[in-house]
Amino acid sequence: MMRAAVLRDRRIAVEERARPEPGPGQVLLKIRLCGICGSDLHLAKHAAEIAKLGEEFGAPPQDLSRGLILGHEFIGEIAEFGPETARTLQIGDRVVSVPFLLENGVPKPIGASVDVAGAYAEYMLASEALLLKVPDEVPDEAAALVEPLAIAWHAVAKSGLPPVDAAAVVLGCGPIGLAIVTVLKMHGVEGIVASDFSPRRRELATTLGAAQAISPKDGNALAAAAAASPGKPLVIYDCTGAQGVLGVAVRDAAAGTRIVVAGIAHGEETINPMLGIAKELSIQFVVYYTPEEFAATLQAVADGRLQWRPLLSATIGLNAVDDAFRLLEDPERHAKILIAPWSDAGLPA
Amino acid sequence: MMRAAVLRDRRIAVEERARPEPGPGQVLLKIRLCGICGSDLHLAKHAAEIAKLGEEFGAPPQDLSRGLILGHEFIGEIAEFGPETARTLQIGDRVVSVPFLLENGVPKPIGASVDVAGAYAEYMLASEALLLKVPDEVPDEAAALVEPLAIAWHAVAKSGLPPVDAAAVVLGCGPIGLAIVTVLKMHGVEGIVASDFSPRRRELATTLGAAQAISPKDGNALAAAAAASPGKPLVIYDCTGAQGVLGVAVRDAAAGTRIVVAGIAHGEETINPMLGIAKELSIQFVVYYTPEEFAATLQAVADGRLQWRPLLSATIGLNAVDDAFRLLEDPERHAKILIAPWSDAGLPA
């Protein structure tokens, strides 16, 4: 048996579950750490709607009453090899993986449905072919951040920045916005303007490399970026996940601006296409990274090129996950919280 | 004096106007032909709203009661040089130009405001520095089409297709949609799927190189493209200018699809950003071309690489412009109508 934090009816409770048996090509991972992602919070609130939307697009129906084990930002150690495995790594090796489980060659997202359990648990299945060994010099905490950092890595790559010399505005300084700031900084982008209502998050953005961090109450980040980098084209990263931000960005952006939408917004978004056309804007929605981008992010962390430590705010045990989900709705308190399934740690006061 | 077709209160009437005097760096063009653009029809309907929107974004207010001379798809011959001109071309030379007039070095769009008169007139001012001589082998009709073909050239370049090997869907087969079909065909794109309610326009799309032309009543162009080019990424060119099409494209597009919005839609557009994110869609709004793209388009027309003749449907005099604007609302009758300001030709029956 094992302990797992299970989502059911918008609440998370620790349950005893059968320890999974690795199938062909699979390994059993003993989970060392797993990050709480904004998409986990989103799924906890909107699981039924998201499952319904998935069905409209051809996903099989889900029995959400079975409970869902979230968690896709994990580092684990190899506890057991299933049949038909190459075993080039060793039992006990620390590994990360893109969060997909191969079933008959088909990648299924880990920790996003009732069918493929995630890493909010003591053990989890992973596909041997996707494992990357974590270099010894990389602490567990950094390895658990590779997944969200890879999201940011990909968002920056999709924006064309670099190699284009452009100014950057990051709207929303949750973990993804902050990760984008650190990736931009790694690439040498100057004059990054970050925007968030939370003073704590603005402070983190500055620590990670933003030249300015502005509250939307006090100023306009687009105007600040234009003033700081006159004549440069602008890339806006919308990491707010808030409804209405995209429409405002389309309205306020200067000609030629690229808008990258990395925050998950629920509901509809209204934009004025005539403004989009008149200003030749582009909107790039981003979600995942490629396996190559994931591996490159791990390497950049190992090389010390990517600053990650300021992203972390607490490490907790499974019992505290439900409280953490409530706490994370207050952006003033925390950035990235990690779950250590074998720990009893509660939320810091 | 000269004759000009003047837009006032949504109607176009022929008026006598003073023949303009070329200022420093300017030339007087005797207009040979000028195309009627969809944006002209749009401006004729919505001039007041567009002027108001322009003011919100810093354009000077316009006195629309003075009347507006439209027309930015022109070929003219040089009739007179203004002061401070280099005169490397000759009086009588046939020329085209990107539709901007330089005033103290600032480019102002021709035929889009009361301040800079367009080519629905016997004469028009142009900037010498922007003129391109039309090669002798290029007929007037082809030269007048360079501007809309350059719009299509740019839209295809902005879509990344080519060099990317992707399938293409063209939604809406007005002049811009048809021009995109002919540019795609020039680039060797196979399996183009065009979509329009009008049988006549579908026929033109097929003539210009579409592999299939489908009525939205009878089938789904996206599904047809996916079936015809399995596994290929898709580029959708929205040339409908119709409200709601972008939202449907975001809903129906497969993962990784690029949506290029080339049609001018009025009003707001509602999209679901969660679908955009889940499918990593991109939306690129396009409007103008670069001067280099304009010149490359003229060259491709001269070289016979771009098929243009099927785009033409009639050539009329100034007196018939008002009727033509009404007629063009019926897509069954015409594609591109050219105005020959020195002709008396009426609309064909």
Side-chain angles (χ1 to χ4, degrees):
Chain A
M1 299 297 283
M2 68 168 189
R3 295 168 70 242
V6 179
L7 169 70
R8 197 181 280 107
D9 292 335
R10 299 185 168 209
R11 294 302 296 259
I12 291 178
V14 177
E15 297 181 6
E16 291 281 323
R17 289 271 180 132
R19 203 172 90 167
E21 297 284 334
Q26 296 179 343
V27 299
L28 182 71
L29 294 187
K30 182 178 175 187
I31 300 300
R32 294 172 69 93
L33 286 176
C34 179
I36 296 177
C37 175
S39 70
D40 295 341
L41 304 177
H42 191 76
L43 202 54
K45 268 193 186 166
H46 302 288
E49 290 164 79
I50 291 167
K52 188 162 162 286
L53 194 64
E55 280 182 52
E56 284 175 27
F57 287 86
Q62 292 189 58
D63 177 6
L64 293 173
S65 71
R66 286 167 54 204
L68 203 158
I69 303 178
L70 297 165
H72 58 273
E73 304 178 354
F74 52 84
I75 170 174
E77 55 189 69
I78 299 175
E80 192 183 325
F81 286 99
E84 299 167 37
T85 44
R87 308 187 189 199
T88 48
L89 296 174
Q90 310 292 319
I91 296 287
D93 276 353
R94 294 187 310 147
V95 292
V96 292
S97 158
V98 293
F100 290 91
L101 191 68
L102 301 172
E103 289 190 352
N104 303 315
V106 178
K108 300 198 165 177
I110 285 175
S113 74
V114 292
D115 296 320
V116 186
Y120 286 16
E122 290 174 339
Y123 292 96
M124 186 193 83
L125 298 180
S127 288
E128 186 192 40
L130 302 178
L131 297 180
L132 297 175
K133 190 170 188 305
V134 176
D136 290 343
E137 66 272 24
V138 176
D140 282 353
E141 289 78 5
L145 287 171
V146 166
E147 205 277 346
L149 287 168
I151 296 271
W153 187 287
H154 176 70
V156 172
K158 277 284 204 182
S159 73
L161 196 166
V164 176
D165 183 28
V169 165
V170 179
L171 303 177
C173 296
I176 293 298
L178 292 173
I180 285 175
V181 170
T182 195
V183 171
L184 290 170
K185 189 67 184 173
M186 182 199 77
H187 285 304
V189 175
E190 298 296 330
I192 302 162
V193 177
S195 167
D196 202 291
F197 286 104
S198 152
R200 169 102 183 95
R201 288 181 163 185
R202 294 201 298 275
E203 190 192 324
L204 287 171
T206 310
T207 303
L208 287 164
Q212 296 178 66
I214 293 174
S215 169
K217 281 183 201 157
D218 302 331
N220 184 311
L222 304 192
S229 306
K232 279 196 189 179
L234 183 67
V235 179
I236 300 171
Y237 299 88
D238 173 11
C239 310
T240 62
Q243 212 173 356
V245 172
L246 179 58
V248 171
V250 166
R251 188 193 68 197
D252 291 351
T257 296
R258 276 163 291 169
I259 303 169
V260 177
V261 182
I264 297 178
H266 217 74
E268 305 272 279
E269 193 73 30
T270 301
I271 61 175
N272 185 330
M274 200 152 81
L275 295 179
I277 286 175
K279 300 190 283 188
E280 286 222 324
L281 305 178
S282 75
I283 302 170
Q284 171 72 57
F285 295 98
V286 295
V287 56
Y288 272 122
Y289 33 77
T290 63
E292 292 75 19
E293 288 169 329
F294 188 90
T297 306
L298 174 60
Q299 192 57 52
V301 167
D303 295 346
R305 283 183 290 139
L306 259 180
Q307 202 187 353
W308 53 269
R309 200 171 288 277
L311 291 168
L312 293 180
S313 58
T315 301
I316 60 170
L318 289 171
N319 285 325
V321 174
D322 194 58
D323 286 345
F325 268 52
R326 250 163 287 283
L327 191 66
L328 283 168
E329 293 182 0
D330 172 11
E332 201 41 57
R333 300 288 296 280
H334 284 284
K336 177 63 73 181
I337 294 180
L338 300 179
I339 300 168
W342 298 85
S343 141
D344 289 329
L347 274 172
Chain B
M1 298 297 284
M2 68 169 190
R3 296 169 68 243
V6 179
L7 170 69
R8 197 182 278 106
D9 293 335
R10 299 185 167 208
R11 294 301 296 260
I12 291 178
V14 176
E15 298 181 6
E16 291 281 322
R17 289 271 179 131
R19 203 172 91 167
E21 296 284 335
Q26 296 180 344
V27 300
L28 182 72
L29 293 187
K30 182 179 175 187
I31 300 300
R32 294 173 67 94
L33 286 176
C34 178
I36 296 177
C37 175
S39 70
D40 294 342
L41 304 176
H42 190 75
L43 201 54
K45 268 194 185 164
H46 302 288
E49 290 165 78
I50 291 166
K52 188 161 162 287
L53 194 64
E55 280 182 52
E56 285 176 27
F57 287 87
Q62 293 190 58
D63 177 5
L64 293 172
S65 72
R66 287 167 54 204
L68 203 158
I69 303 177
L70 298 165
H72 57 274
E73 304 177 355
F74 53 83
I75 171 175
E77 55 189 68
I78 299 176
E80 193 183 325
F81 286 99
E84 298 168 37
T85 45
R87 309 188 188 198
T88 49
L89 297 174
Q90 310 293 318
I91 296 287
D93 276 353
R94 295 187 310 146
V95 291
V96 292
S97 159
V98 292
F100 290 90
L101 191 68
L102 300 173
E103 289 190 354
N104 302 315
V106 178
K108 299 197 167 179
I110 286 175
S113 74
V114 291
D115 297 319
V116 187
Y120 287 15
E122 290 174 337
Y123 292 96
M124 187 191 82
L125 298 179
S127 288
E128 186 192 40
L130 301 177
L131 298 180
L132 297 175
K133 189 170 189 304
V134 176
D136 289 344
E137 66 273 25
V138 177
D140 282 353
E141 289 79 4
L145 287 172
V146 166
E147 204 277 346
L149 287 167
I151 295 272
W153 186 288
H154 176 70
V156 171
K158 278 284 204 181
S159 73
L161 195 167
V164 176
D165 183 30
V169 165
V170 179
L171 303 177
C173 296
I176 292 299
L178 292 172
I180 285 175
V181 170
T182 194
V183 170
L184 289 171
K185 188 67 183 174
M186 183 199 77
H187 284 304
V189 176
E190 298 296 330
I192 303 162
V193 177
S195 166
D196 201 291
F197 286 105
S198 152
R200 169 102 183 92
R201 287 181 163 185
R202 293 201 298 275
E203 190 191 325
L204 287 171
T206 309
T207 303
L208 287 164
Q212 297 178 65
I214 293 174
S215 170
K217 280 183 201 156
D218 300 333
N220 184 310
L222 304 191
S229 305
K232 278 195 189 180
L234 183 66
V235 180
I236 299 172
Y237 300 89
D238 173 11
C239 310
T240 61
Q243 211 173 356
V245 172
L246 179 59
V248 170
V250 166
R251 189 193 68 196
D252 290 351
T257 296
R258 276 163 292 170
I259 303 169
V260 177
V261 182
I264 297 177
H266 217 74
E268 305 272 278
E269 193 73 30
T270 301
I271 61 174
N272 185 330
M274 199 152 83
L275 296 179
I277 285 175
K279 299 190 284 188
E280 285 223 325
L281 305 179
S282 75
I283 302 170
Q284 171 72 57
F285 295 97
V286 294
V287 55
Y288 273 123
Y289 33 76
T290 64
E292 293 74 19
E293 289 169 329
F294 188 91
T297 306
L298 173 60
Q299 192 58 52
V301 167
D303 295 346
R305 283 182 290 139
L306 259 180
Q307 202 187 353
W308 53 269
R309 199 170 289 275
L311 292 168
L312 292 180
S313 58
T315 300
I316 60 171
L318 289 172
N319 285 325
V321 174
D322 195 58
D323 286 345
F325 267 52
R326 251 163 286 283
L327 191 67
L328 282 168
E329 292 182 2
D330 172 12
E332 202 41 57
R333 300 287 295 280
H334 285 283
K336 177 62 72 180
I337 294 180
L338 300 179
I339 301 168
W342 297 86
S343 140
D344 289 330
L347 273 171

